[in-house]
Amino acid sequence: MAGGTAPPESVAPPALSFAGIREQHWYREARAILRVYMRNRPAVLGAVLLLGFGIVAAFAPAIAPADPLKTNLSLEGIYQPPAWDHIAGTDSQGRDVLSRTIFGARIAWQIVLAAIGVAIVVGVPLGLLAGYIGGKLDELVIMRIVDALMAMPGLVLILAVTAALGPSIQNTMIIIGFVWSPGYARLTRGVVLSIKQEVYIDAAHAVGAPPRRIMLRHMLPNVVAPVLVLASLSAAGIILVEAGLSFIGAGVQPPTPAWGGMVAKAYITIMTRSAWPILAPALAIILMVMSFNFVGDGVRDAMDPRLRNIR
């Protein structure tokens, strides 16, 4: 129009890149997962308790009121009841029970994380191979080994291997993780079989993607959520198994402070001398197992797509 102002040109909105779309998708998924998890009050309580156990384990030397290995074999030192200088009392060798319980949290976390790591490293690759390749490798080799391991009583197998290798913290971590690995292998195989015929897997085959890329890039991400749920639920069982092994002398060896070993030492004299030394480690085991169960239930619900769609 003569003498008039030209209308402003319409500006097209910037196109989102594939990476940007993917980041937005993961952001929405993470928010939905967190929203469902935060609605579960026991799960939140469990997470807070586990965070507390983690802080205690990480800063045990600064938090513990005394040296957990220092003994006092005098009559005044052993089996002291709770007092200001020994809040949870002392044990049969005059060691501070609270300090040993605090350092026991460090041992418990080490065993849980290492055992779950071993189980994932051993079980997930086996499940990926069995589910993707299939055939005789799956039916006659990998799954038959997994079935044989799962058919054996876990505690009996752990005790047998411990007797052969000797009790120690490192052996306990490896043995428990190895015994837990068949469950991760079977779970991973099931997930791979359920997505093996999906369109995007067929498309990856069509463009010539090698099997390694298909397994790692397209199948493994689908395994992360179920494995995370299984890990959070199995941590409670690992704590109980480690405590049981230490209780019977097949786990962490004294004088290293382990909750199961502390309960075993206190159990011997609970009826004759004092019941105080058993309370702190037993309560720690109960709280940590309960926390892992709560967190596992919360993670399982949060990973359920049906619950994430509920506003």
Side-chain angles (χ1 to χ4, degrees):
M1 181 181 297
T5 304
E9 297 182 358
S10 60
V11 179
L16 288 176
S17 64
F18 175 74
I21 296 175
R22 186 171 58 181
E23 288 178 2
Q24 289 186 2
H25 171 73
W26 283 108
Y27 177 72
R28 289 195 300 267
E29 287 291 312
R31 285 190 61 184
I33 291 173
L34 182 61
R35 183 177 65 249
V36 175
Y37 188 91
M38 295 301 293
R39 287 205 300 258
N40 191 329
R41 293 184 179 180
V44 174
L45 174 61
V48 171
L49 289 176
L50 288 181
L51 178 62
F53 277 113
I55 294 174
V56 167
F59 300 100
I63 296 175
D67 184 350
L69 303 180
K70 184 179 180 180
T71 61
N72 183 3
L73 299 178
S74 65
L75 293 177
E76 296 79 11
I78 62 174
Y79 294 118
Q80 287 188 23
W84 284 112
D85 52 347
H86 299 288
I87 298 177
T90 60
D91 61 7
S92 60
Q93 298 184 22
R95 297 171 297 195
D96 185 72
V97 173
L98 179 60
S99 299
R100 292 181 62 79
T101 304
I102 290 174
F103 275 85
R106 173 174 289 189
I107 300 297
W109 270 114
Q110 289 176 356
I111 292 178
V112 167
L113 296 178
I116 291 178
V118 170
I120 291 175
V121 169
V122 174
V124 171
L126 289 178
L128 277 174
L129 289 174
Y132 179 77
I133 297 177
K136 294 183 178 179
L137 179 65
D138 176 22
E139 296 294 337
L140 299 180
V141 181
I142 297 180
M143 282 300 106
R144 298 295 75 79
I145 295 175
V146 169
D147 291 340
L149 290 175
M150 295 187 73
M152 298 180 184
L155 186 58
V156 175
L157 181 59
I158 292 173
L159 290 175
V161 178
T162 301
L165 299 180
S168 67
I169 297 178
Q170 292 77 13
N171 290 343
T172 300
M173 296 175 181
I174 296 173
I175 295 167
I176 295 178
F178 181 76
V179 170
W180 250 258
S181 62
Y184 288 83
R186 184 171 289 277
L187 174 66
T188 303
R189 174 181 178 268
V191 174
V192 172
L193 289 177
S194 67
I195 65 174
K196 191 175 180 180
Q197 304 302 325
E198 293 289 340
V199 175
Y200 64 92
I201 301 296
D202 293 337
H205 283 293
V207 299
R212 179 181 177 182
R213 179 180 177 84
I214 293 175
M215 286 189 289
L216 296 181
R217 185 69 180 270
H218 301 288
M219 291 183 170
L220 186 60
N222 292 279
V223 178
V224 172
V227 167
L228 181 61
V229 174
L230 180 59
S232 58
L233 290 172
S234 60
I238 293 174
I239 289 290
L240 290 176
V241 169
E242 184 278 325
L245 291 175
S246 298
F247 184 87
I248 62 178
V252 180
Q253 296 300 293
T256 303
W259 292 339
M262 295 173 62
V263 171
K265 293 287 290 185
Y267 175 77
I268 297 174
T269 56
I270 189 172
M271 299 300 295
T272 58
R273 295 296 301 269
S274 175
W276 294 112
I278 203 173
L279 295 181
L283 181 61
I285 294 173
I286 293 172
L287 288 177
M288 198 165 192
V289 170
M290 180 185 69
S291 300
F292 272 121
N293 283 329
F294 285 164
V295 170
D297 291 340
V299 172
R300 180 189 59 201
D301 293 343
M303 293 296 180
D304 190 341
R306 296 168 299 180
L307 295 179
R308 294 205 299 271
N309 292 330
I310 299 175
R311 298 295 179 181

